[in-house]
Amino acid sequence: MIITDAYWEERNLGVSTLEIQIENEDDINKIESKMKTLSAQYIVCKVPSLRADVTAYFAKHGYTYVEDMILVEHDLKEAERSKMHQRLYDAMSYREMTREDVEFLKKEIEGGLFSTDRITNDPYFDNTKASDRYINWVNDLIEQKALFYVDLYKNDPAGFVILQTKDAIIYNSVLGGGYEKYRNTGLGIVQKEQEIVRKLGGKRVETQVSSNNPGQLRALEINGYRTKGINHIFIKHND
């Protein structure tokens, strides 16, 4: 059981926040005892899909299920693509983001780039807080020296991906998405992070996707990602 004081969320959302990660080997009785000692205005609990007993505990004690977070990984082997997918893939390129690219990304976020996450869909928070949260996250990733790339369709910005790594072997696709101009064009199935990571010398790329975003999950599957694990996400607001 990993308990994190998510202090950054107070800046983002205006509430004290705890994030609880349950692990497969955690004893249910110890979980129950520990949870009774915790307090925060907003509590987020992540429960491995195998732990039905913990899922039942949170449901019984006033926690609301909001999504599954699905962890997927890619071994960087070239994906098999349909002819249409290959044409789109070949039409796409990428480059490292400039300062202007980052500002463009922030404008896209303010315009509603992300619409399926648990903050955007939570009536407790307004959409301004949701977009501000992502912009703050982007600023934090800049400070952390994350790798920012813009996806280009015929040299026009069409999307982005942000990568992090601790060992230059496994890369985490932290954040990514397609821009408004190219939504509903089919470009959403094109993903360049595998190619980027190969060129960086990495061996694997991982990312997470919400069950509230089935289109992105399908795109990951088309590009050869495989499911590694699933966490059920429960939340609770306290006065």
Side-chain angles (χ1 to χ4, degrees), residues 36-58:
K36 291 176 182 177
T37 70
L38 301 179
S39 64
Q41 292 170 287
Y42 180 49
I43 301 179
V44 182
C45 301
K46 305 173 183 181
V47 184
S49 57
L50 295 177
R51 293 301 304 270
D53 56 339
V54 184
T55 296
Y57 168 81
F58 283 125

mmCIF file with all atom_site columns, all heavy atoms in Angstrom, residues 36-58:
data_model
loop_
_atom_site.group_PDB
_atom_site.id
_atom_site.type_symbol
_atom_site.label_atom_id
_atom_site.label_alt_id
_atom_site.label_comp_id
_atom_site.label_asym_id
_atom_site.label_entity_id
_atom_site.label_seq_id
_atom_site.pdbx_PDB_ins_code
_atom_site.Cartn_x
_atom_site.Cartn_y
_atom_site.Cartn_z
_atom_site.occupancy
_atom_site.B_iso_or_equiv
_atom_site.pdbx_formal_charge
_atom_site.auth_seq_id
_atom_site.auth_comp_id
_atom_site.auth_asym_id
_atom_site.auth_atom_id
_atom_site.pdbx_PDB_model_num
ATOM 1   N N   . LYS A 1 36 ? -8.707  4.112   7.867   1.00 0.00 ? 36 LYS A N   1
ATOM 2   C CA  . LYS A 1 36 ? -9.419  4.811   8.932   1.00 0.00 ? 36 LYS A CA  1
ATOM 3   C C   . LYS A 1 36 ? -8.606  5.964   9.504   1.00 0.00 ? 36 LYS A C   1
ATOM 4   O O   . LYS A 1 36 ? -9.160  6.867   10.138  1.00 0.00 ? 36 LYS A O   1
ATOM 5   C CB  . LYS A 1 36 ? -9.788  3.823   10.049  1.00 0.00 ? 36 LYS A CB  1
ATOM 6   C CG  . LYS A 1 36 ? -10.848 2.806   9.642   1.00 0.00 ? 36 LYS A CG  1
ATOM 7   C CD  . LYS A 1 36 ? -11.096 1.798   10.748  1.00 0.00 ? 36 LYS A CD  1
ATOM 8   C CE  . LYS A 1 36 ? -12.124 0.750   10.317  1.00 0.00 ? 36 LYS A CE  1
ATOM 9   N NZ  . LYS A 1 36 ? -12.329 -0.282  11.364  1.00 0.00 ? 36 LYS A NZ  1
ATOM 10  N N   . THR A 1 37 ? -7.297  5.945   9.296   1.00 0.00 ? 37 THR A N   1
ATOM 11  C CA  . THR A 1 37 ? -6.428  6.988   9.853   1.00 0.00 ? 37 THR A CA  1
ATOM 12  C C   . THR A 1 37 ? -6.175  8.127   8.870   1.00 0.00 ? 37 THR A C   1
ATOM 13  O O   . THR A 1 37 ? -5.563  9.131   9.244   1.00 0.00 ? 37 THR A O   1
ATOM 14  C CB  . THR A 1 37 ? -5.066  6.393   10.257  1.00 0.00 ? 37 THR A CB  1
ATOM 15  O OG1 . THR A 1 37 ? -4.315  6.036   9.076   1.00 0.00 ? 37 THR A OG1 1
ATOM 16  C CG2 . THR A 1 37 ? -5.243  5.165   11.138  1.00 0.00 ? 37 THR A CG2 1
ATOM 17  N N   . LEU A 1 38 ? -6.631  7.984   7.639   1.00 0.00 ? 38 LEU A N   1
ATOM 18  C CA  . LEU A 1 38 ? -6.308  8.961   6.597   1.00 0.00 ? 38 LEU A CA  1
ATOM 19  C C   . LEU A 1 38 ? -7.428  9.976   6.423   1.00 0.00 ? 38 LEU A C   1
ATOM 20  O O   . LEU A 1 38 ? -8.610  9.648   6.536   1.00 0.00 ? 38 LEU A O   1
ATOM 21  C CB  . LEU A 1 38 ? -6.068  8.246   5.270   1.00 0.00 ? 38 LEU A CB  1
ATOM 22  C CG  . LEU A 1 38 ? -4.940  7.202   5.250   1.00 0.00 ? 38 LEU A CG  1
ATOM 23  C CD1 . LEU A 1 38 ? -4.850  6.556   3.874   1.00 0.00 ? 38 LEU A CD1 1
ATOM 24  C CD2 . LEU A 1 38 ? -3.607  7.828   5.635   1.00 0.00 ? 38 LEU A CD2 1
ATOM 25  N N   . SER A 1 39 ? -7.026  11.202  6.120   1.00 0.00 ? 39 SER A N   1
ATOM 26  C CA  . SER A 1 39 ? -8.021  12.233  5.846   1.00 0.00 ? 39 SER A CA  1
ATOM 27  C C   . SER A 1 39 ? -7.460  13.227  4.831   1.00 0.00 ? 39 SER A C   1
ATOM 28  O O   . SER A 1 39 ? -6.291  13.597  4.887   1.00 0.00 ? 39 SER A O   1
ATOM 29  C CB  . SER A 1 39 ? -8.427  12.969  7.134   1.00 0.00 ? 39 SER A CB  1
ATOM 30  O OG  . SER A 1 39 ? -7.326  13.664  7.673   1.00 0.00 ? 39 SER A OG  1
ATOM 31  N N   . ALA A 1 40 ? -8.310  13.617  3.918   1.00 0.00 ? 40 ALA A N   1
ATOM 32  C CA  . ALA A 1 40 ? -7.994  14.646  2.924   1.00 0.00 ? 40 ALA A CA  1
ATOM 33  C C   . ALA A 1 40 ? -9.302  15.042  2.268   1.00 0.00 ? 40 ALA A C   1
ATOM 34  O O   . ALA A 1 40 ? -10.300 14.319  2.338   1.00 0.00 ? 40 ALA A O   1
ATOM 35  C CB  . ALA A 1 40 ? -7.005  14.127  1.872   1.00 0.00 ? 40 ALA A CB  1
ATOM 36  N N   . GLN A 1 41 ? -9.299  16.206  1.633   1.00 0.00 ? 41 GLN A N   1
ATOM 37  C CA  . GLN A 1 41 ? -10.524 16.656  0.967   1.00 0.00 ? 41 GLN A CA  1
ATOM 38  C C   . GLN A 1 41 ? -10.853 15.813  -0.263  1.00 0.00 ? 41 GLN A C   1
ATOM 39  O O   . GLN A 1 41 ? -12.012 15.690  -0.643  1.00 0.00 ? 41 GLN A O   1
ATOM 40  C CB  . GLN A 1 41 ? -10.378 18.132  0.578   1.00 0.00 ? 41 GLN A CB  1
ATOM 41  C CG  . GLN A 1 41 ? -10.332 19.081  1.773   1.00 0.00 ? 41 GLN A CG  1
ATOM 42  C CD  . GLN A 1 41 ? -9.947  20.476  1.361   1.00 0.00 ? 41 GLN A CD  1
ATOM 43  O OE1 . GLN A 1 41 ? -8.798  20.745  1.035   1.00 0.00 ? 41 GLN A OE1 1
ATOM 44  N NE2 . GLN A 1 41 ? -10.926 21.383  1.356   1.00 0.00 ? 41 GLN A NE2 1
ATOM 45  N N   . TYR A 1 42 ? -9.812  15.245  -0.858  1.00 0.00 ? 42 TYR A N   1
ATOM 46  C CA  . TYR A 1 42 ? -10.003 14.460  -2.083  1.00 0.00 ? 42 TYR A CA  1
ATOM 47  C C   . TYR A 1 42 ? -9.071  13.259  -2.007  1.00 0.00 ? 42 TYR A C   1
ATOM 48  O O   . TYR A 1 42 ? -7.860  13.408  -1.837  1.00 0.00 ? 42 TYR A O   1
ATOM 49  C CB  . TYR A 1 42 ? -9.669  15.325  -3.299  1.00 0.00 ? 42 TYR A CB  1
ATOM 50  C CG  . TYR A 1 42 ? -9.818  14.669  -4.654  1.00 0.00 ? 42 TYR A CG  1
ATOM 51  C CD1 . TYR A 1 42 ? -10.958 13.967  -5.004  1.00 0.00 ? 42 TYR A CD1 1
ATOM 52  C CD2 . TYR A 1 42 ? -8.807  14.788  -5.609  1.00 0.00 ? 42 TYR A CD2 1
ATOM 53  C CE1 . TYR A 1 42 ? -11.109 13.391  -6.263  1.00 0.00 ? 42 TYR A CE1 1
ATOM 54  C CE2 . TYR A 1 42 ? -8.931  14.229  -6.875  1.00 0.00 ? 42 TYR A CE2 1
ATOM 55  C CZ  . TYR A 1 42 ? -10.081 13.530  -7.197  1.00 0.00 ? 42 TYR A CZ  1
ATOM 56  O OH  . TYR A 1 42 ? -10.218 12.965  -8.439  1.00 0.00 ? 42 TYR A OH  1
ATOM 57  N N   . ILE A 1 43 ? -9.644  12.054  -2.072  1.00 0.00 ? 43 ILE A N   1
ATOM 58  C CA  . ILE A 1 43 ? -8.853  10.829  -1.981  1.00 0.00 ? 43 ILE A CA  1
ATOM 59  C C   . ILE A 1 43 ? -9.058  10.009  -3.244  1.00 0.00 ? 43 ILE A C   1
ATOM 60  O O   . ILE A 1 43 ? -10.196 9.777   -3.673  1.00 0.00 ? 43 ILE A O   1
ATOM 61  C CB  . ILE A 1 43 ? -9.233  10.000  -0.743  1.00 0.00 ? 43 ILE A CB  1
ATOM 62  C CG1 . ILE A 1 43 ? -9.020  10.820  0.541   1.00 0.00 ? 43 ILE A CG1 1
ATOM 63  C CG2 . ILE A 1 43 ? -8.410  8.714   -0.684  1.00 0.00 ? 43 ILE A CG2 1
ATOM 64  C CD1 . ILE A 1 43 ? -9.401  10.085  1.817   1.00 0.00 ? 43 ILE A CD1 1
ATOM 65  N N   . VAL A 1 44 ? -7.958  9.599   -3.838  1.00 0.00 ? 44 VAL A N   1
ATOM 66  C CA  . VAL A 1 44 ? -7.970  8.789   -5.054  1.00 0.00 ? 44 VAL A CA  1
ATOM 67  C C   . VAL A 1 44 ? -7.354  7.438   -4.720  1.00 0.00 ? 44 VAL A C   1
ATOM 68  O O   . VAL A 1 44 ? -6.221  7.382   -4.222  1.00 0.00 ? 44 VAL A O   1
ATOM 69  C CB  . VAL A 1 44 ? -7.169  9.455   -6.188  1.00 0.00 ? 44 VAL A CB  1
ATOM 70  C CG1 . VAL A 1 44 ? -7.238  8.617   -7.465  1.00 0.00 ? 44 VAL A CG1 1
ATOM 71  C CG2 . VAL A 1 44 ? -7.672  10.874  -6.443  1.00 0.00 ? 44 VAL A CG2 1
ATOM 72  N N   . CYS A 1 45 ? -8.070  6.361   -4.980  1.00 0.00 ? 45 CYS A N   1
ATOM 73  C CA  . CYS A 1 45 ? -7.596  5.019   -4.662  1.00 0.00 ? 45 CYS A CA  1
ATOM 74  C C   . CYS A 1 45 ? -7.474  4.195   -5.933  1.00 0.00 ? 45 CYS A C   1
ATOM 75  O O   . CYS A 1 45 ? -8.405  4.148   -6.745  1.00 0.00 ? 45 CYS A O   1
ATOM 76  C CB  . CYS A 1 45 ? -8.546  4.327   -3.691  1.00 0.00 ? 45 CYS A CB  1
ATOM 77  S SG  . CYS A 1 45 ? -8.764  5.215   -2.134  1.00 0.00 ? 45 CYS A SG  1
ATOM 78  N N   . LYS A 1 46 ? -6.330  3.543   -6.082  1.00 0.00 ? 46 LYS A N   1
ATOM 79  C CA  . LYS A 1 46 ? -6.060  2.737   -7.264  1.00 0.00 ? 46 LYS A CA  1
ATOM 80  C C   . LYS A 1 46 ? -5.941  1.279   -6.829  1.00 0.00 ? 46 LYS A C   1
ATOM 81  O O   . LYS A 1 46 ? -5.074  0.940   -6.018  1.00 0.00 ? 46 LYS A O   1
ATOM 82  C CB  . LYS A 1 46 ? -4.754  3.212   -7.926  1.00 0.00 ? 46 LYS A CB  1
ATOM 83  C CG  . LYS A 1 46 ? -4.774  4.712   -8.238  1.00 0.00 ? 46 LYS A CG  1
ATOM 84  C CD  . LYS A 1 46 ? -3.434  5.227   -8.746  1.00 0.00 ? 46 LYS A CD  1
ATOM 85  C CE  . LYS A 1 46 ? -3.484  6.725   -8.973  1.00 0.00 ? 46 LYS A CE  1
ATOM 86  N NZ  . LYS A 1 46 ? -2.192  7.265   -9.486  1.00 0.00 ? 46 LYS A NZ  1
ATOM 87  N N   . VAL A 1 47 ? -6.825  0.451   -7.383  1.00 0.00 ? 47 VAL A N   1
ATOM 88  C CA  . VAL A 1 47 ? -6.951  -0.923  -6.915  1.00 0.00 ? 47 VAL A CA  1
ATOM 89  C C   . VAL A 1 47 ? -6.679  -1.894  -8.061  1.00 0.00 ? 47 VAL A C   1
ATOM 90  O O   . VAL A 1 47 ? -7.371  -1.856  -9.080  1.00 0.00 ? 47 VAL A O   1
ATOM 91  C CB  . VAL A 1 47 ? -8.366  -1.193  -6.359  1.00 0.00 ? 47 VAL A CB  1
ATOM 92  C CG1 . VAL A 1 47 ? -8.451  -2.600  -5.793  1.00 0.00 ? 47 VAL A CG1 1
ATOM 93  C CG2 . VAL A 1 47 ? -8.743  -0.148  -5.306  1.00 0.00 ? 47 VAL A CG2 1
ATOM 94  N N   . PRO A 1 48 ? -5.678  -2.785  -7.922  1.00 0.00 ? 48 PRO A N   1
ATOM 95  C CA  . PRO A 1 48 ? -5.432  -3.786  -8.969  1.00 0.00 ? 48 PRO A CA  1
ATOM 96  C C   . PRO A 1 48 ? -6.692  -4.594  -9.263  1.00 0.00 ? 48 PRO A C   1
ATOM 97  O O   . PRO A 1 48 ? -7.456  -4.921  -8.348  1.00 0.00 ? 48 PRO A O   1
ATOM 98  C CB  . PRO A 1 48 ? -4.328  -4.662  -8.369  1.00 0.00 ? 48 PRO A CB  1
ATOM 99  C CG  . PRO A 1 48 ? -3.647  -3.792  -7.375  1.00 0.00 ? 48 PRO A CG  1
ATOM 100 C CD  . PRO A 1 48 ? -4.724  -2.913  -6.805  1.00 0.00 ? 48 PRO A CD  1
ATOM 101 N N   . SER A 1 49 ? -6.905  -4.917  -10.514 1.00 0.00 ? 49 SER A N   1
ATOM 102 C CA  . SER A 1 49 ? -8.153  -5.560  -10.930 1.00 0.00 ? 49 SER A CA  1
ATOM 103 C C   . SER A 1 49 ? -8.389  -6.901  -10.262 1.00 0.00 ? 49 SER A C   1
ATOM 104 O O   . SER A 1 49 ? -9.534  -7.357  -10.169 1.00 0.00 ? 49 SER A O   1
ATOM 105 C CB  . SER A 1 49 ? -8.164  -5.729  -12.452 1.00 0.00 ? 49 SER A CB  1
ATOM 106 O OG  . SER A 1 49 ? -7.040  -6.484  -12.884 1.00 0.00 ? 49 SER A OG  1
ATOM 107 N N   . LEU A 1 50 ? -7.337  -7.547  -9.769  1.00 0.00 ? 50 LEU A N   1
ATOM 108 C CA  . LEU A 1 50 ? -7.490  -8.846  -9.119  1.00 0.00 ? 50 LEU A CA  1
ATOM 109 C C   . LEU A 1 50 ? -8.041  -8.741  -7.692  1.00 0.00 ? 50 LEU A C   1
ATOM 110 O O   . LEU A 1 50 ? -8.459  -9.741  -7.120  1.00 0.00 ? 50 LEU A O   1
ATOM 111 C CB  . LEU A 1 50 ? -6.152  -9.592  -9.098  1.00 0.00 ? 50 LEU A CB  1
ATOM 112 C CG  . LEU A 1 50 ? -5.563  -9.989  -10.452 1.00 0.00 ? 50 LEU A CG  1
ATOM 113 C CD1 . LEU A 1 50 ? -4.197  -10.651 -10.254 1.00 0.00 ? 50 LEU A CD1 1
ATOM 114 C CD2 . LEU A 1 50 ? -6.502  -10.936 -11.203 1.00 0.00 ? 50 LEU A CD2 1
ATOM 115 N N   . ARG A 1 51 ? -8.023  -7.522  -7.127  1.00 0.00 ? 51 ARG A N   1
ATOM 116 C CA  . ARG A 1 51 ? -8.405  -7.373  -5.720  1.00 0.00 ? 51 ARG A CA  1
ATOM 117 C C   . ARG A 1 51 ? -9.872  -6.997  -5.570  1.00 0.00 ? 51 ARG A C   1
ATOM 118 O O   . ARG A 1 51 ? -10.227 -5.876  -5.214  1.00 0.00 ? 51 ARG A O   1
ATOM 119 C CB  . ARG A 1 51 ? -7.495  -6.347  -5.048  1.00 0.00 ? 51 ARG A CB  1
ATOM 120 C CG  . ARG A 1 51 ? -6.044  -6.790  -4.934  1.00 0.00 ? 51 ARG A CG  1
ATOM 121 C CD  . ARG A 1 51 ? -5.891  -8.090  -4.138  1.00 0.00 ? 51 ARG A CD  1
ATOM 122 N NE  . ARG A 1 51 ? -6.462  -8.008  -2.803  1.00 0.00 ? 51 ARG A NE  1
ATOM 123 C CZ  . ARG A 1 51 ? -5.778  -7.607  -1.729  1.00 0.00 ? 51 ARG A CZ  1
ATOM 124 N NH1 . ARG A 1 51 ? -4.496  -7.290  -1.856  1.00 0.00 ? 51 ARG A NH1 1
ATOM 125 N NH2 . ARG A 1 51 ? -6.361  -7.562  -0.546  1.00 0.00 ? 51 ARG A NH2 1
ATOM 126 N N   . ALA A 1 52 ? -10.741 -7.969  -5.818  1.00 0.00 ? 52 ALA A N   1
ATOM 127 C CA  . ALA A 1 52 ? -12.184 -7.748  -5.690  1.00 0.00 ? 52 ALA A CA  1
ATOM 128 C C   . ALA A 1 52 ? -12.568 -7.416  -4.254  1.00 0.00 ? 52 ALA A C   1
ATOM 129 O O   . ALA A 1 52 ? -13.533 -6.676  -4.011  1.00 0.00 ? 52 ALA A O   1
ATOM 130 C CB  . ALA A 1 52 ? -12.949 -8.976  -6.172  1.00 0.00 ? 52 ALA A CB  1
ATOM 131 N N   . ASP A 1 53 ? -11.831 -7.944  -3.270  1.00 0.00 ? 53 ASP A N   1
ATOM 132 C CA  . ASP A 1 53 ? -12.145 -7.662  -1.875  1.00 0.00 ? 53 ASP A CA  1
ATOM 133 C C   . ASP A 1 53 ? -11.935 -6.185  -1.547  1.00 0.00 ? 53 ASP A C   1
ATOM 134 O O   . ASP A 1 53 ? -12.724 -5.570  -0.824  1.00 0.00 ? 53 ASP A O   1
ATOM 135 C CB  . ASP A 1 53 ? -11.314 -8.548  -0.937  1.00 0.00 ? 53 ASP A CB  1
ATOM 136 C CG  . ASP A 1 53 ? -9.810  -8.427  -1.170  1.00 0.00 ? 53 ASP A CG  1
ATOM 137 O OD1 . ASP A 1 53 ? -9.393  -7.986  -2.263  1.00 0.00 ? 53 ASP A OD1 1
ATOM 138 O OD2 . ASP A 1 53 ? -9.037  -8.782  -0.256  1.00 0.00 ? 53 ASP A OD2 1
ATOM 139 N N   . VAL A 1 54 ? -10.878 -5.602  -2.109  1.00 0.00 ? 54 VAL A N   1
ATOM 140 C CA  . VAL A 1 54 ? -10.609 -4.179  -1.867  1.00 0.00 ? 54 VAL A CA  1
ATOM 141 C C   . VAL A 1 54 ? -11.624 -3.319  -2.614  1.00 0.00 ? 54 VAL A C   1
ATOM 142 O O   . VAL A 1 54 ? -12.091 -2.296  -2.107  1.00 0.00 ? 54 VAL A O   1
ATOM 143 C CB  . VAL A 1 54 ? -9.171  -3.822  -2.281  1.00 0.00 ? 54 VAL A CB  1
ATOM 144 C CG1 . VAL A 1 54 ? -8.872  -2.363  -1.944  1.00 0.00 ? 54 VAL A CG1 1
ATOM 145 C CG2 . VAL A 1 54 ? -8.162  -4.731  -1.571  1.00 0.00 ? 54 VAL A CG2 1
ATOM 146 N N   . THR A 1 55 ? -11.957 -3.731  -3.829  1.00 0.00 ? 55 THR A N   1
ATOM 147 C CA  . THR A 1 55 ? -12.982 -3.025  -4.594  1.00 0.00 ? 55 THR A CA  1
ATOM 148 C C   . THR A 1 55 ? -14.283 -2.958  -3.796  1.00 0.00 ? 55 THR A C   1
ATOM 149 O O   . THR A 1 55 ? -14.927 -1.905  -3.704  1.00 0.00 ? 55 THR A O   1
ATOM 150 C CB  . THR A 1 55 ? -13.230 -3.740  -5.940  1.00 0.00 ? 55 THR A CB  1
ATOM 151 O OG1 . THR A 1 55 ? -12.036 -3.692  -6.728  1.00 0.00 ? 55 THR A OG1 1
ATOM 152 C CG2 . THR A 1 55 ? -14.363 -3.102  -6.705  1.00 0.00 ? 55 THR A CG2 1
ATOM 153 N N   . ALA A 1 56 ? -14.676 -4.061  -3.219  1.00 0.00 ? 56 ALA A N   1
ATOM 154 C CA  . ALA A 1 56 ? -15.902 -4.109  -2.424  1.00 0.00 ? 56 ALA A CA  1
ATOM 155 C C   . ALA A 1 56 ? -15.800 -3.206  -1.193  1.00 0.00 ? 56 ALA A C   1
ATOM 156 O O   . ALA A 1 56 ? -16.772 -2.535  -0.821  1.00 0.00 ? 56 ALA A O   1
ATOM 157 C CB  . ALA A 1 56 ? -16.191 -5.548  -2.000  1.00 0.00 ? 56 ALA A CB  1
ATOM 158 N N   . TYR A 1 57 ? -14.627 -3.170  -0.571  1.00 0.00 ? 57 TYR A N   1
ATOM 159 C CA  . TYR A 1 57 ? -14.429 -2.328  0.612   1.00 0.00 ? 57 TYR A CA  1
ATOM 160 C C   . TYR A 1 57 ? -14.646 -0.855  0.275   1.00 0.00 ? 57 TYR A C   1
ATOM 161 O O   . TYR A 1 57 ? -15.371 -0.134  0.974   1.00 0.00 ? 57 TYR A O   1
ATOM 162 C CB  . TYR A 1 57 ? -13.024 -2.534  1.185   1.00 0.00 ? 57 TYR A CB  1
ATOM 163 C CG  . TYR A 1 57 ? -12.654 -1.504  2.222   1.00 0.00 ? 57 TYR A CG  1
ATOM 164 C CD1 . TYR A 1 57 ? -13.088 -1.625  3.534   1.00 0.00 ? 57 TYR A CD1 1
ATOM 165 C CD2 . TYR A 1 57 ? -11.897 -0.386  1.872   1.00 0.00 ? 57 TYR A CD2 1
ATOM 166 C CE1 . TYR A 1 57 ? -12.777 -0.662  4.488   1.00 0.00 ? 57 TYR A CE1 1
ATOM 167 C CE2 . TYR A 1 57 ? -11.578 0.576   2.815   1.00 0.00 ? 57 TYR A CE2 1
ATOM 168 C CZ  . TYR A 1 57 ? -12.016 0.442   4.115   1.00 0.00 ? 57 TYR A CZ  1
ATOM 169 O OH  . TYR A 1 57 ? -11.719 1.397   5.049   1.00 0.00 ? 57 TYR A OH  1
ATOM 170 N N   . PHE A 1 58 ? -14.023 -0.380  -0.798  1.00 0.00 ? 58 PHE A N   1
ATOM 171 C CA  . PHE A 1 58 ? -14.150 1.036   -1.155  1.00 0.00 ? 58 PHE A CA  1
ATOM 172 C C   . PHE A 1 58 ? -15.585 1.371   -1.563  1.00 0.00 ? 58 PHE A C   1
ATOM 173 O O   . PHE A 1 58 ? -16.107 2.433   -1.207  1.00 0.00 ? 58 PHE A O   1
ATOM 174 C CB  . PHE A 1 58 ? -13.169 1.396   -2.271  1.00 0.00 ? 58 PHE A CB  1
ATOM 175 C CG  . PHE A 1 58 ? -11.755 1.556   -1.785  1.00 0.00 ? 58 PHE A CG  1
ATOM 176 C CD1 . PHE A 1 58 ? -10.719 0.827   -2.351  1.00 0.00 ? 58 PHE A CD1 1
ATOM 177 C CD2 . PHE A 1 58 ? -11.454 2.436   -0.771  1.00 0.00 ? 58 PHE A CD2 1
ATOM 178 C CE1 . PHE A 1 58 ? -9.421  0.962   -1.898  1.00 0.00 ? 58 PHE A CE1 1
ATOM 179 C CE2 . PHE A 1 58 ? -10.155 2.592   -0.302  1.00 0.00 ? 58 PHE A CE2 1
ATOM 180 C CZ  . PHE A 1 58 ? -9.137  1.852   -0.865  1.00 0.00 ? 58 PHE A CZ  1
#
